[in-house]
Amino acid sequence: MFLKVCAVSLLLALVANAENVKFKDCGSVEGVMHNLYVNPCPDTPCQLKHNHNYSLSINFTAKETTPEAKAVVDGIIQDITVPFYIHEPDACKNCNITCPITSGKTYLYTTFVFVLPVYPTVSTYRPRVILTIG
């Protein structure tokens, strides 16, 4: 399963105090994304700062059953893809999801993104979250 999401806020999005960020689905077929949350994000668009951690949560419903899930978070700056470090690319480990992923079940995937100091400082950054299930 391939659940691909592109956020349309300026920069990325635990849910209790997180901002529900606007997003654009970039072609999900086997899953439906409901919400994208970023914490901390007191105002939208979210302004991510260098050397800070942010939680990123995706609420989605699976359309197929599969034993595994992988995650990639990156951003696009002037058509160049820049990867973000996430603490665990295996979405079934320490990311609030228990595998196997079951069709029809709703999940809340959560990871942490660290904004490295080497990332460029720009005013326009299109974040992209790719959650591959299966």
Side-chain angles (χ1 to χ4, degrees):
M1 178 172 157
F2 191 66
L3 182 66
K4 186 176 179 182
V5 179
C6 293
V8 291
S9 67
L10 181 62
L11 285 174
L12 288 179
L14 282 196
V15 176
N17 296 316
E19 181 69 32
N20 188 0
V21 178
K22 292 180 184 179
F23 65 91
K24 175 186 172 192
D25 189 312
C26 297
S28 299
V29 176
E30 290 88 7
V32 177
M33 184 172 158
H34 306 292
N35 302 97
L36 172 65
Y37 302 98
V38 178
N39 187 30
C41 176
D43 299 305
T44 56
C46 300
Q47 300 291 318
L48 302 188
K49 297 178 182 178
H50 291 108
N51 291 317
H52 285 79
N53 279 307
Y54 295 85
S55 70
L56 172 65
S57 298
I58 301 171
N59 178 262
F60 71 96
T61 301
K63 289 187 178 180
E64 73 175 37
T65 298
T66 185
E68 61 184 15
K70 304 288 182 198
V72 173
V73 178
D74 60 32
I76 302 169
I77 304 171
Q78 299 174 344
D79 296 326
I80 298 172
T81 301
V82 178
F84 278 87
Y85 171 79
I86 56 175
H87 81 288
E88 178 58 69
D90 185 341
C92 299
K93 293 181 181 176
N94 302 317
C95 294
N96 204 37
I97 292 178
T98 302
C99 290
I101 304 292
T102 305
S103 179
K105 187 173 177 183
T106 299
Y107 296 89
L108 181 65
Y109 164 78
T110 300
T111 192
F112 296 91
V113 175
F114 182 69
V115 181
L116 293 170
V118 297
Y119 293 159
T121 302
V122 294
S123 61
T124 310
Y125 207 111
R126 289 182 304 164
R128 179 173 62 178
V129 180
I130 302 172
L131 185 58
T132 306
I133 302 173

